[in-house]
Amino acid sequence: MERLIIFALVGLAAQAVDGSLGMAYGVTSSTLLVATGVAPAVASASVHLAEVGTTFVSGVSHWRLGNVDWKVVGKIAIPGGVGAFAGATFLSGLSTESATPWVAGLLLLLGIYIVARFVFGKPPVFIPGRRPGLGLLAPLGLFGGFIDATGGGGWGPVTTPTLISSGTLHPRKVIGSVSTAEFVTTVAASVGFLVGLAGQALDWRIIGGLLIGGVIAAPFAAYLVKHLSLPILGGLVGSIILVTNGRTLLRSFEAESVAAYGLLFAVAAVIVAVAVRKVSREPAEAPEPEPTSV
């Protein structure tokens, strides 16, 4: 029961972050699971099985709040599912020893991407009147799905910043549409893991805890999209991901030292300080233009 409660809290926190940033549920959850010694493939499988429920609730919540562009969802979800199934099959075939540093390194890169996008990046410029086309959405979905399954997370960090940077869809609609399309990629990845890990036992307390916490947080997270300071949230989440996965890599390569840990925490402190300073200087957000069809 204690483990169930712990992972429910992990799922709640991760989904609150994911629904607000449009990313990082899988990255946050997988980072914590791998750090506690769970095999990377089992960690990713657990996260994706839990996300079947959380992404469904998140998608419905975003839809009801008007955050979803269904044309974008339709073009990115199917390629995302194909990539996720392929990634799950690939990760299931790796040994734990070889997969741990690979996954930690991938999660570290995703953490850096989150920090770069939300703390050091410039505010997105939205140009109304267009939507991203299939030429961008199909390969983006394929790549994002593959990275998501192999890293235990990554769908949001790959797809959300790319679509926001394109300037063809309002950030609120990007987050809602990406979160909704993630349901398809999650189902595909889960099927791939269940096939690839047929001989390994999954801990249903982990899956159940992540699911319960995520479902509770999903409606609240969709609401936060309009009200939360994204630089501070991105800075906090990115810092946690950098420190945790940096620790895993140091252990994998037997390079642990006081100086190395001191550097990790110093970098995290600087990131949070920059995020706070950025928010204090941010102008008020302009009203959202009405969306138009292609």
Side-chain angles (χ1 to χ4, degrees):
M1 185 64 183
E2 183 179 347
R3 282 177 65 85
L4 183 65
I5 294 174
I6 291 173
F7 288 113
L9 293 175
V10 171
L12 190 149
Q15 182 59 41
V17 171
D18 183 87
S20 305
L21 289 180
M23 63 178 73
Y25 178 91
V27 177
T28 304
S29 301
S30 296
T31 291
L32 295 174
L33 293 179
V34 171
T36 59
V38 178
V42 174
S44 187
S46 301
V47 169
H48 282 89
L49 285 166
E51 279 189 309
V52 171
T54 60
T55 54
F56 177 79
V57 175
S58 179
V60 171
S61 300
H62 279 295
W63 165 64
R64 294 186 65 179
L65 289 170
N67 296 339
V68 178
D69 186 315
W70 289 105
K71 291 185 177 180
V72 171
V73 172
K75 293 175 182 177
I76 198 172
I78 295 176
V82 173
F85 183 85
T89 304
F90 169 75
L91 184 60
S92 297
L94 293 179
S95 67
T96 300
E97 291 76 12
S98 60
T100 296
W102 153 264
V103 172
L106 181 56
L107 291 171
L108 184 70
L109 290 176
L110 293 174
I112 293 172
Y113 200 83
I114 290 172
V115 170
R117 184 67 192 89
F118 289 96
V119 178
F120 296 100
K122 294 182 180 179
V125 178
F126 170 57
I127 306 173
R130 295 187 298 140
R131 283 184 175 87
L134 186 62
L136 170 64
L137 294 173
L140 180 63
L142 189 68
F143 179 69
F146 184 85
I147 293 298
D148 184 74
T150 54
W155 171 255
V158 169
T159 57
T160 298
T162 302
L163 292 180
I164 288 178
S165 300
S166 72
T168 55
L169 197 64
H170 192 276
R172 177 172 66 87
K173 289 293 183 72
V174 170
I175 292 173
S177 301
V178 164
S179 297
T180 303
E182 190 174 10
F183 173 74
V184 175
T185 65
T186 297
V187 170
S190 297
V191 172
F193 280 120
L194 289 174
V195 172
L197 296 174
Q200 297 189 41
L202 296 173
D203 189 337
W204 291 97
R205 292 173 297 178
I206 296 177
I207 299 168
L210 295 175
L211 175 59
I212 292 170
V215 168
I216 291 173
F220 175 66
Y223 173 79
L224 286 180
V225 169
K226 297 182 179 180
H227 302 281
L228 202 62
S229 170
L230 299 186
I232 289 181
L233 183 58
L236 289 172
V237 173
S239 297
I240 292 172
I241 292 170
L242 292 179
V243 170
T244 308
N245 288 288
R247 170 178 170 271
T248 300
L249 286 174
L250 289 173
R251 285 188 169 185
S252 296
F253 294 103
E254 299 181 353
E256 292 179 284
S257 68
V258 174
Y261 283 122
L263 179 60
L264 281 177
F265 283 105
V267 170
V270 169
I271 290 171
V272 174
V274 171
V276 171
R277 186 176 182 183
K278 180 177 182 178
V279 170
S280 67
R281 296 184 174 185
E282 272 186 348
E285 184 180 358
E288 175 186 351
E290 290 297 321
T292 55
S293 301
V294 176

